[in-house]
Amino acid sequence: MKSRRMARFIMVPGIKLYLTEVTLPAGCRLEIGHALEAGVSIESVTLNGEATDYEVRSTHRGSEVVAQVSVPGSYRLVIRSR
């Protein structure tokens, strides 16, 4: 089974939103995340509109923000930064 994923970046004056949307099938676990360019300061991370635990990992692409889910369903991860 495969999950469906869509990621995008939205910029409003002074605010950057990184959106990742996925649908997780039954029997799977998933790390939802988005790579941010160097120097980005994270203001908040929400999953389906609620604050969520997340991990920041250093990668060759910059910082990667990751949250984990294991319950089937549709998810929307929003990372807000300046």
Side-chain angles (χ1 to χ4, degrees):
M1 292 185 174
K2 294 174 80 176
S3 65
R4 293 184 316 178
R5 179 177 188 261
M6 182 185 76
R8 58 190 155 149
F9 169 75
I10 299 171
M11 186 165 176
V12 177
I15 299 171
K16 295 179 183 176
L17 297 177
Y18 301 84
L19 307 173
T20 304
E21 297 175 324
V22 298
T23 300
L24 182 65
C28 295
R29 293 180 55 103
L30 182 66
E31 290 185 335
I32 304 171
H34 205 101
L36 311 178
E37 63 269 7
V40 169
S41 177
I42 299 168
E43 286 191 358
S44 65
V45 178
T46 60
L47 186 62
N48 291 352
E50 301 289 329
T52 189
D53 292 331
Y54 64 94
E55 181 180 344
V56 178
R57 300 176 183 162
S58 293
T59 72
H60 67 282
R61 300 176 297 175
S63 296
E64 182 178 48
V65 177
V66 178
Q68 295 191 20
V69 295
S70 58
V71 176
S74 295
Y75 294 93
R76 182 178 202 187
L77 181 74
V78 178
I79 303 162
R80 182 184 174 124
S81 69
R82 290 207 181 261

